[in-house]
Amino acid sequence: MNAPRGITWPYAVIALLAVAAAAIGLLRPQLIPAAAATSGKKKPGATALLKQNPPPALFTDAEIATIGKQAVDQGKKADALFAQWKAAHGTTRDDKAFAGWAAQQVPAPPTAKQRTAELHQVQTLAKIRSAAGRKAASWLELHGKKDIWKLYLHDQRELIPATQGTAEKAELKAALKMAKTISDQLAAKDKQPAPFVLDPALRPDKHIKPGAKGPYSYPSRHAARSAAAVTLLSALSPHRTEDYEWMRAEVLYSRLYMAGHLPSDLTAGTLLGDLIGDYELAVSGCRAAQTCRDR
């Protein structure tokens, strides 16, 4: 397992907390202490949540290499597709029209035969699960949708003017929200059962009832949000692209590892998220990575 890398403040604090917690066996599965969850106070932000539940050792570079490359390839496809949207619509914001178009760019779900083959891959991976792998996957499942990406942006906002930081926070929030909305709508339409629904033995903790059809997993919400965030963050801070892509691969691999998704769920979600990231950059006037910090 790898410890999180590419870490600067406040990541350094979180990394140190992770090391200390692991040394004394205090890594906790819950995000928010029970008292805080029921106190009625304002919910903790991403930084507070990750300080409360710092990262364990994550998956090795060798484990995530293949899925990381697949994600990068989806980004290239998304860029080519988005160029078509931009040529036809320019950079004027039209979220409704774009959302409809982006949903149409996501490939149709794989055939039943293809999904059976993919399920076999997930079943094979499940046979080599370890306690450390389960801990890493659980942490990534909890924080991989939003918290990690918000924390990355928070780190960068420490170094730029407040007004610019506020604008970038709003852009990330909009991208994450759109990724969730479109992926949820497509999942409800395509009705592709998650791997642990197809084979309940993969996740007995989910308590899937016989004959259940959902939850649905195509496309992956985790993948869509991660890709949207990586596209946006990489344009804002190109020198950290490798760190962002590494974390995205960690999140994606965790979804296979614990049978939350099939490979096609992840590639479809990644393509969707990359399109959303491209769109948010374009309409915010920050399509060219080298100009983002100069606007």
Side-chain angles (χ1 to χ4, degrees):
M1 298 291 167
N2 281 350
R5 66 183 180 184
I7 298 176
T8 55
W9 173 258
Y11 305 105
V13 173
I14 295 172
L16 289 172
L17 287 171
V19 172
I24 58 176
L26 290 180
L27 281 175
R28 297 169 295 175
Q30 70 271 19
L31 275 176
I32 307 172
T38 59
S39 65
K41 296 180 180 179
K42 183 179 179 181
K43 294 175 63 176
T47 301
L49 289 174
L50 291 171
K51 283 183 179 180
Q52 291 171 2
N53 186 24
L58 301 182
F59 297 103
T60 66
D61 289 351
E63 289 174 302
I64 67 174
T66 298
I67 203 164
K69 183 181 183 303
Q70 291 172 349
V72 171
D73 290 342
Q74 291 302 306
K76 296 174 182 177
K77 293 180 182 179
D79 288 345
L81 287 170
F82 183 75
Q84 299 174 20
W85 166 270
K86 188 176 179 182
H89 299 271
T91 58
T92 301
R93 181 179 288 278
D94 188 343
D95 290 358
K96 183 177 180 179
F98 173 77
W101 175 85
Q104 293 174 359
Q105 308 314 305
V106 177
T111 64
K113 183 177 180 180
Q114 290 170 327
R115 286 184 72 82
T116 297
E118 291 187 17
L119 178 62
H120 180 67
Q121 295 179 44
V122 175
Q123 291 168 329
T124 300
L125 183 59
K127 294 177 181 178
I128 61 171
R129 287 176 188 162
S130 65
R134 291 187 181 91
K135 182 180 290 185
S138 295
W139 187 87
L140 288 160
E141 180 177 359
L142 286 171
H143 297 293
K145 290 180 182 177
K146 296 187 295 183
D147 297 334
I148 292 169
W149 312 113
K150 288 181 177 181
L151 188 62
Y152 272 130
L153 183 62
H154 180 278
D155 181 37
Q156 297 303 317
R157 287 172 61 209
E158 296 289 312
L159 307 175
I160 60 177
T163 53
Q164 184 175 334
T166 299
E168 292 176 0
K169 181 179 180 181
E171 291 161 16
L172 178 61
K173 181 178 180 180
L176 293 174
K177 181 179 180 180
M178 183 178 288
K180 177 184 183 301
T181 298
I182 300 176
S183 58
D184 284 355
Q185 290 173 347
L186 285 172
K189 177 177 73 72
D190 292 327
K191 294 181 169 57
Q192 299 297 303
F196 62 80
V197 176
L198 296 172
D199 179 2
L202 290 169
R203 291 292 299 271
D205 58 302
K206 294 291 187 179
H207 305 294
I208 299 300
K209 296 179 180 180
K213 302 297 183 182
Y216 303 124
S217 65
Y218 184 92
S220 164
R221 185 194 302 172
H222 272 85
R225 281 179 155 177
S226 294
V230 169
T231 299
L232 184 63
L233 293 170
S234 294
L236 298 177
S237 300
H239 63 289
R240 299 200 61 190
T241 296
E242 183 178 351
D243 294 335
Y244 303 144
E245 291 181 345
W246 170 78
M247 181 56 77
R248 174 179 61 189
E250 289 280 349
V251 172
L252 297 181
Y253 185 77
S254 75
R255 306 306 293 140
L256 289 180
Y257 192 87
M258 292 304 293
H261 288 286
L262 298 175
S264 57
D265 300 339
L266 299 174
T267 54
T270 300
L271 178 68
L272 174 61
D274 283 324
L275 287 172
I276 293 169
D278 281 345
Y279 171 74
E280 191 59 42
L281 288 170
V283 299
S284 66
C286 187
R287 184 65 189 91
Q290 64 268 26
T291 66
C292 286
R293 284 299 186 197
D294 298 327
R295 59 182 170 166

